[in-house]
Amino acid sequence: MARRWGVRLAEIVGVMLAVSCIVYLMLEVNADEVAVKVLGQFSTPEQRHLWLHENGYERPFLLRYLGWLWHFLWGDWGMSTHYREPVIDILPARLAHTGILACATLVVMIPASFLLGILAGMREGSLADRAISVFCILTTSVPEFASAVFLAAIFVFWLGLLPGASTMTEGFSLREIVLPVLVLALYATGYLARIVRASMVEVMTSAYVRTALMKGASPSRIVLRHALRNALIAPVTVIMLQVPWLLSGVIVTEVFFAYKGFGTLLYEAALNSDVAMIEACAMVSVVVVVATQLLSDLLYAWLNPRMRRAERPAPQGAGV
Amino acid sequence: MSRWLAALRRPTVAIGGLMVTVWILCALFANLLAPYDPLLSGDPLVLPLGRGASGAFHLLGTDLLGRDILSRLIFGARTVVIWAGLATATAYAVGIAIGLLAGFYGGVIDRALSFIANVVLSFPVLVLYILIIVTLGASGVNIVLAVTFASAPAIFRLVRALALDIRSRDFIAAAITQGEGAVHIMVMEILPNTLGPLTVDACLRLGYTSITIGVLGFLGLGLPPPTPDWGGMVNDGRAMAIAFPHLVVFPCLAISSLMLGLSLLADGLREAPARA
């Protein structure tokens, strides 16, 4: 058991190292380009040369990378060329804004998708099942920027109920967060509901539910007492694995509604070639993904007694 | 083939197939179907069903530069079908090749390739796309590269899992005993048996790639203007969307309907009864 988690941790460290290497390689392998990006198109060759020298860019690539990694680990994430401030002073606050958005999305999406999934999965092939399945395909087919346009067209342009931008210039505003949350939740709900449904169908056709039925237990008792607990193991872990998708959607949604979160930060950094900021954002996003994957593993082991009591791990594919 | 024909009888599959077919026809015959040149500027900001000052009729209106939106949507279908098709095909070629290698040989090769796939899949997809496009610049070829790099690992995992399973069957052992080469076994024995699940996945992935191209266009990181591109049209019209919603709503409907068609198709093929 302990060995298994040890291997898992070592793997995570390996992945993070490789990720940091890829990020640094992509953005800084060409030192001259970095100088142009940091100093601007109109800097003179002498200025660039001086800057490269001052920042240790004449060292071999591997040494540069290790130096960068070392500084990064200790919280020195470099200067943002766009904001003219240390990256570490800007990024956490933006991440917190995105955290608010993500939490609100989860609060909307989890009850909605569980309700839909359970209703659909209780009786496979019923009218409710078909209707919910079509709804789920529909919402997962519409990309975030398109659903943002549709919802904005309805609630902003047509009904005039909600503001079309979520800049939050005068502090937090509930009205401004409704549309971004709705856009994110709409996509994720369809996806999660399908998984809840599949899991529910599997449990409802299992032998022990049939036994309960023959014993004369009422349908509500079967669903609530017998089926639900086992049906929810897979979806609960899937919620965590959805975070990478959610993060991608967050970028698009934040840009559309001009919400000042992590996504717009990365987007603006990309448009302005803000190298240090892009690096930090990419690293942070990967840390979030890897952390949620680990959390999902832990949750699964905790929820599923078969995993908890197993002395040796169930045979898995090597390396996955 | 017959089971796919049988699947076509289901209404959802038929609707999905119809939607995809319409867009493919648009892409193929764009020059015949489009009422105007998609790059030609005429009367700006004509509303849908309206006539411009010159009296030209525009079914879906015109954009800020006076280009006919319907024509741009039809030619945009060509952009999406070409680039999404190309990018998905390249991603599949790479994913299948390394997936077969890992599944067939196993051991160190499998572990190394799986680790690389894990690393790439640790990025949120869009972050990876932004990184690659920022590094390489925005162009069609670079979008193909980015999509290949980001989706090949997922395809790799699927192929690898299927290949691992098929590898243990008797007919593979028979082929090895017969003295067939590794390439022959991978391509002629294992690959044909993975095609069922791969087709379903390909349908969905073609949709995701179309969306990716749309999203990159929306973020201004996609195909450079003036290429007719659905995502780019949304990006261009976004600032004026309050006054002229038709600038953004129609391109969004286009990309949503394409993706919906592909999802319905994939869903129907998945539920089609497996070959006996």
Side-chain angles (χ1 to χ4, degrees):
Chain A
M1 196 69 192
R3 186 167 171 273
R4 192 167 119 235
W5 291 111
V7 170
R8 187 85 181 83
L9 274 178
E11 203 180 276
I12 286 175
V13 172
V15 165
M16 285 312 303
L17 275 176
V19 162
S20 69
C21 198
I22 290 178
V23 169
Y24 193 78
L25 194 71
M26 274 187 180
L27 291 163
E28 301 213 28
V29 71
N30 189 334
D32 296 320
E33 270 181 27
V34 177
V36 174
K37 281 175 182 163
V38 170
L39 299 174
Q41 293 283 349
F42 302 107
S43 52
T44 62
E46 292 78 39
Q47 283 172 323
R48 288 177 202 164
H49 191 74
L50 193 67
W51 184 85
L52 286 175
H53 182 72
E54 275 175 359
N55 290 279
Y57 272 88
E58 75 279 12
R59 288 176 299 169
F61 178 77
L62 191 65
L63 277 182
R64 270 204 288 144
Y65 163 67
L66 290 176
W68 171 80
L69 187 65
W70 182 252
H71 284 290
F72 196 90
L73 285 176
W74 293 107
D76 175 11
W77 295 356
M79 286 290 283
S80 157
T81 48
H82 181 59
Y83 291 93
R84 312 244 164 237
E85 264 182 82
V87 171
I88 191 107
D89 291 350
I90 304 169
L91 211 153
R94 294 295 202 96
L95 200 60
H97 286 176
T98 296
I100 297 172
L101 193 60
C103 285
T105 306
L106 289 177
V107 166
V108 175
M109 136 200 165
I110 292 175
S113 53
F114 277 33
L115 190 69
L116 288 175
I118 291 167
L119 277 178
M122 276 191 322
R123 274 203 301 142
E124 195 183 6
S126 64
L127 189 66
D129 182 22
R130 276 156 193 270
I132 291 170
S133 293
V134 169
F135 170 81
C136 292
I137 292 181
L138 196 67
T139 56
T140 44
S141 296
V142 181
E144 278 96 353
F145 72 89
S147 52
V149 162
F150 296 144
L151 289 176
I154 295 171
F155 290 105
V156 183
F157 313 145
W158 185 34
L159 298 176
L161 284 176
L162 293 166
S166 312
T167 45
M168 309 258 172
T169 36
E170 288 146 30
F172 182 77
S173 147
L174 204 59
R175 272 165 54 88
E176 291 187 7
I177 208 170
V178 173
L179 278 181
V181 167
L182 216 53
V183 167
L184 287 171
L186 207 57
Y187 184 84
T189 301
Y191 181 76
L192 189 60
R194 292 182 82 170
I195 289 167
V196 176
R197 175 195 172 272
S199 182
M200 194 70 191
V201 165
E202 198 190 321
V203 171
M204 288 303 280
T205 50
S206 67
Y208 78 91
V209 167
R210 201 182 55 200
T211 308
L213 193 70
M214 289 190 294
K215 225 171 55 176
S218 67
S220 62
R221 188 183 159 86
I222 290 176
V223 170
L224 293 176
R225 286 292 302 268
H226 297 275
L228 215 50
R229 281 197 208 177
N230 284 321
L232 292 188
I233 293 176
V236 164
T237 51
V238 165
I239 295 173
M240 288 293 143
L241 296 181
Q242 257 197 306
V243 167
W245 290 98
L246 205 60
L247 262 178
S248 293
V250 158
I251 299 175
V252 174
T253 312
E254 285 186 0
V255 169
F256 188 92
F257 291 105
Y259 181 83
K260 293 231 173 302
F262 177 78
T264 37
L265 191 67
L266 172 61
Y267 175 63
E268 281 164 9
L271 289 189
N272 297 311
S273 304
D274 194 343
V275 175
M277 186 65 90
I278 301 176
E279 283 165 357
C281 285
M283 292 298 289
V284 167
S285 69
V286 176
V287 168
V288 171
V289 170
V290 171
T292 49
Q293 274 169 358
L294 186 65
L295 202 60
S296 159
D297 287 356
L298 287 170
L299 217 55
Y300 188 74
W302 180 62
L303 284 173
N304 194 340
R306 273 174 297 191
M307 293 286 288
R308 209 185 320 158
R309 291 196 194 127
E311 293 192 355
R312 282 191 328 126
Q316 284 175 334
V320 175
Chain B
M1 235 28 215
S2 62
R3 80 185 170 110
W4 290 355
L5 288 178
L8 265 179
R9 295 219 188 91
R10 294 157 50 101
T12 49
V13 182
I15 295 171
L18 189 71
M19 284 168 148
V20 176
T21 314
V22 165
W23 283 122
I24 290 178
L25 286 179
C26 280
L28 284 177
F29 303 109
N31 4 18
L32 299 176
L33 290 168
Y36 296 92
D37 180 345
L39 304 180
L40 185 76
S41 291
D43 311 304
L45 295 171
V46 175
L47 292 179
L49 293 173
R51 282 180 190 281
S54 60
F57 177 73
H58 297 279
L59 187 64
L60 300 183
T62 61
D63 66 5
L64 186 61
L65 299 176
R67 297 172 297 194
D68 183 58
I69 288 184
L70 179 61
S71 307
R72 282 182 74 72
L73 285 186
I74 292 173
F75 273 90
R78 181 174 280 186
T79 314
V80 164
V81 169
I82 289 177
W83 288 112
L86 199 61
T88 314
T90 334
Y92 262 92
V94 175
I96 287 178
I98 55 177
L100 286 176
L101 280 178
F104 182 73
Y105 287 109
V108 184
I109 296 179
D110 179 29
R111 246 174 279 165
L113 289 172
S114 295
F115 178 76
I116 296 172
N118 273 354
V119 170
V120 176
L121 289 174
S122 301
F123 286 94
V125 248
L126 196 49
V127 174
L128 198 54
Y129 287 133
I130 290 178
L131 271 180
I132 295 175
I133 296 295
V134 164
T135 312
L136 300 178
S139 77
V141 177
N142 290 345
I143 288 179
V144 172
L145 276 177
V147 169
T148 306
F149 191 69
S151 346
I155 300 163
F156 157 80
R157 275 193 180 172
L158 181 62
V159 176
R160 171 188 171 276
L162 292 166
L164 268 181
D165 176 37
I166 296 165
R167 174 85 175 78
S168 62
R169 306 278 179 83
D170 285 343
F171 65 89
I172 301 295
I176 294 174
T177 319
Q178 243 177 25
E180 303 287 4
V183 177
H184 176 91
I185 294 176
M186 279 189 264
V187 177
M188 303 304 286
E189 308 279 354
I190 298 181
L191 187 58
N193 286 295
T194 61
L195 288 183
L198 281 186
T199 321
V200 175
D201 184 66
C203 258
L204 281 177
R205 206 161 286 284
L206 201 59
Y208 293 145
T209 312
S210 312
I211 287 189
T212 299
I213 291 175
V215 166
L216 288 174
F218 166 75
L219 293 175
L221 301 170
L223 297 159
T227 321
D229 164 38
W230 296 340
M233 291 168 76
V234 178
N235 188 32
D236 294 340
R238 204 149 59 92
M240 313 189 65
I242 294 189
F244 301 99
H246 72 279
L247 295 180
V248 291
V249 169
F250 292 126
C252 285
L253 281 175
I255 193 160
S256 303
S257 63
L258 177 64
M259 181 68 210
L260 182 61
L262 286 165
S263 306
L264 288 173
L265 216 52
D267 200 58
L269 293 180
R270 186 186 297 132
E271 285 178 21
R275 253 177 304 186

